[in-house]
Amino acid sequence: LADKEEGCSPHTFMYHVRELLPQFSQMGPMGPQQQDAEEFLTAVLQAFSQKLKTSSGSNLIKDLFEIELETQTWCIESLDEEPTYDTQRVLRLSLPIDKSCTTLHDSLANCLTGQLEKHSPTLNRTALYNQSMEVSHLPPYVMMQYMRFYWRTDTNKKAKICKNVHFPLVIDLLDYLCDEFKTPIKLQLAKRKSKFFQKKAMWLEKDVDEMPRKWAEWDRKEAERQLMIQMGFLNGTLADVDPLAVDETESSEAANRTEAEFQEARKAWLKHIGAEDEEDAEAVKEGGEGKGDEKNEDEKQVDKEDGEETIPPTDPSLEGASAVTDSAMYQLRAVLAHQSRYADAGHYVTYVRTSIRQSSNWRSAPEPMWIKFDDDKVTLVREDEVRNTAGGADNPISYVCLYGRSEAVVEGLSSTQY
């Protein structure tokens, strides 16, 4: 895809789509029938999934969008029944909207927890189960769909939820990760926060509150400590790298590990703190950077320009996704919105983030600009219009949000806004 220079016209694209997916070529009395944009997107991605492969032979669509979830299900009505564990892989997260939902985080929490009824082998009848999910793998892009359309049983008609549900421009998904996946990402985030607050000149002024810098440094040290405990590396020279004490119980558990496990944990710990050996680890302890930072391709690449830290904004093969892999921060890249009070009618528009920044007047700072696709009308709009798609009956309402991995350190604040 990156090497192909020729584009595809909309007419050619729709011709092949209708040939491959005839359900989207149905006609009504007023022309083509109204179709659900999310169903269309899912069908197109499934079709692409069968054809598009990477140079290594893997599935391109799955590499870009597939989210892995670890699911735990347990019976509420029987304490004797053992919980079951399963792994699910999905291309998008479906976010339910209820009366308590005011933000995307509320909907996401409801998406990952819930109840269901199924047959219980212990009780030999249908029983109620609780289900919780944690993310065990995050792709470069995360797609989230609001469940705004539903079937009303009292009227036997399809209805739409126009409720305002705020979505952040930069979202932190760290709290939704499983512990094994969360720990190394938390460490890298804490290190980026600590370096960010230390590099910025404003935090060096005496009259500025230093608490944000101190908290970022504490987060980094605590993340290192938790990773060290998890890997069982609690003795030897590198134990001094962690400024927080380890209690005797943890030390006794580490003593029971084999020498091979110890060496494996030692290498992993050195890798995560960016050090090559014990001498290099001492440099990290003093607040410097280890030699391993420059050779670790999985961590962010750091260039020094005028004494400040710069991060490659994107992976050249992934438009809109950061090259930083150890990150749970995602920036909003596109919004698909539906404009109508009714579920069976209306119009779809799409907003796509660009690198263009413009000022509304000579006094204001440059603002990010978005491209609005409204049939054949393509225009540049300001970010405020995208924010307004959070809800409201008369405005286009967000239906699908596409996030791309980001190197940001704080939710709601893009790295370009530092």
Side-chain angles (χ1 to χ4, degrees):
L1 289 178
D3 298 333
K4 186 175 178 61
E5 298 180 356
E6 298 180 2
C8 177
S9 70
H11 291 288
T12 303
F13 176 75
M14 286 308 303
Y15 172 79
H16 290 292
V17 165
R18 288 170 177 169
E19 187 179 35
L20 181 64
L21 306 169
Q23 65 269 31
F24 295 106
S25 61
Q26 299 175 358
M27 302 295 291
M30 302 297 291
Q33 287 188 359
Q34 177 85 8
Q35 303 288 345
D36 184 272
E38 186 277 327
E39 293 179 1
F40 174 76
L41 177 61
T42 300
V44 171
L45 288 179
Q46 289 177 348
F48 284 166
S49 180
Q50 299 174 4
K51 298 292 184 180
L52 298 180
K53 305 293 181 183
T54 64
S55 57
S56 60
S58 61
N59 190 306
L60 178 61
I61 299 300
K62 291 183 178 180
D63 289 349
L64 294 178
F65 299 103
E66 190 172 74
I67 305 166
E68 187 175 282
L69 301 171
E70 297 294 333
T71 305
Q72 180 182 6
T73 307
W74 65 97
C75 183
I76 302 176
E77 303 177 29
S78 175
L79 299 178
D80 297 331
E81 186 171 330
E82 293 292 330
T84 59
Y85 300 89
D86 191 18
T87 301
Q88 299 182 26
R89 294 176 176 84
V90 296
L91 294 180
R92 72 181 187 282
L93 295 174
S94 299
L95 309 183
I97 301 175
D98 58 25
K99 295 181 180 179
S100 63
C101 289
T102 58
T103 68
L104 185 145
H105 282 290
D106 296 334
S107 295
L108 187 55
N110 291 341
C111 168
L112 299 179
T113 58
Q115 293 184 339
L116 71 155
E117 290 185 349
K118 67 174 186 175
H119 179 77
S120 170
T122 304
L123 302 176
N124 196 25
R125 62 174 175 82
T126 301
L128 190 63
Y129 285 77
N130 275 340
Q131 187 177 70
S132 65
M133 291 180 282
E134 292 182 329
V135 179
S136 56
H137 171 72
L138 283 173
Y141 299 95
V142 172
M143 192 164 17
M144 302 187 187
Q145 175 209 356
Y146 287 117
M147 306 295 289
R148 291 198 177 273
F149 303 111
Y150 70 103
W151 185 261
R152 289 189 59 171
T153 56
D154 56 341
T155 60
N156 289 326
K157 291 183 179 180
K158 193 176 181 181
K160 179 183 177 182
I161 302 174
C162 299
K163 182 179 176 65
N164 191 318
V165 182
H166 168 76
F167 53 86
L169 297 179
V170 176
I171 186 171
D172 184 2
L173 300 177
L174 185 67
D175 291 339
Y176 307 103
L177 308 183
C178 61
D179 291 338
E180 182 179 356
F181 187 36
K182 179 189 298 184
T183 303
I185 291 181
K186 189 175 181 180
L187 173 60
Q188 295 304 321
L189 176 61
K191 290 174 67 176
R192 289 202 300 272
K193 278 186 179 181
S194 178
K195 290 180 180 180
F196 166 72
F197 285 122
Q198 290 176 354
K199 296 292 182 182
K200 295 302 178 180
M202 64 174 294
W203 303 111
L204 301 179
E205 300 175 4
K206 295 182 179 180
D207 58 340
V208 176
D209 185 8
E210 291 190 355
M211 285 308 297
R213 180 187 62 80
K214 293 179 179 179
W215 276 111
E217 181 66 16
W218 186 90
D219 287 343
R220 180 186 69 81
K221 294 177 180 179
E222 177 63 15
E224 290 179 354
R225 175 180 181 272
Q226 293 299 329
L227 183 63
M228 185 173 67
I229 293 173
Q230 180 175 322
M231 292 183 172
F233 185 67
L234 301 172
N235 54 355
T237 306
L238 285 180
D240 295 333
V241 175
D242 183 11
L244 302 179
V246 180
D247 59 35
E248 297 180 357
T249 304
E250 293 166 348
S251 299
S252 61
E253 292 177 355
N256 296 328
R257 295 181 178 270
T258 64
E259 180 64 22
E261 289 175 331
F262 175 82
Q263 293 298 333
E264 182 180 355
R266 172 183 177 276
K267 293 178 181 179
W269 176 248
L270 284 169
K271 176 182 177 182
H272 279 288
I273 66 173
E276 289 185 345
D277 49 34
E278 285 83 351
E279 181 180 354
D280 197 20
E282 289 297 325
V284 177
K285 178 182 177 182
E286 297 299 328
E289 293 183 1
K291 293 178 288 186
D293 283 345
E294 300 176 357
K295 299 183 179 181
N296 189 353
E297 296 180 357
D298 292 334
E299 297 183 358
K300 63 181 182 181
Q301 302 172 1
V302 178
D303 297 326
K304 298 297 180 179
E305 296 180 0
D306 300 328
E308 290 195 358
E309 176 185 53
T310 60
I311 305 173
T314 58
D315 184 333
S317 63
L318 295 176
E319 183 65 26
S322 170
V324 178
T325 55
D326 289 337
S327 175
M329 291 288 184
Y330 281 75
Q331 185 172 29
L332 187 65
R333 305 303 309 181
V335 176
L336 171 64
H338 179 260
Q339 185 172 8
S340 177
R341 294 172 179 263
Y342 309 101
D344 293 326
H347 182 60
Y348 286 104
V349 296
T350 301
Y351 299 89
V352 178
R353 184 183 178 88
T354 71
S355 58
I356 302 172
R357 301 177 71 85
Q358 293 182 359
S359 300
S360 57
N361 56 63
W362 66 274
R363 294 181 178 179
S364 62
E367 302 175 13
M369 302 299 292
W370 292 64
I371 296 180
K372 180 181 180 180
F373 294 91
D374 185 357
D375 287 343
D376 59 344
K377 300 177 183 178
V378 180
T379 56
L380 273 178
V381 298
R382 300 197 177 278
E383 205 162 62
D384 287 343
E385 183 171 335
V386 181
R387 294 176 185 271
N388 290 336
T389 63
D394 297 327
N395 299 324
I397 302 176
S398 56
Y399 184 33
V400 178
C401 295
L402 178 65
Y403 284 88
R405 188 185 289 127
S406 170
E407 68 276 9
V409 297
V410 180
E411 177 170 316
L413 185 64
S414 168
S415 60
T416 59
Q417 296 174 290
Y418 292 161

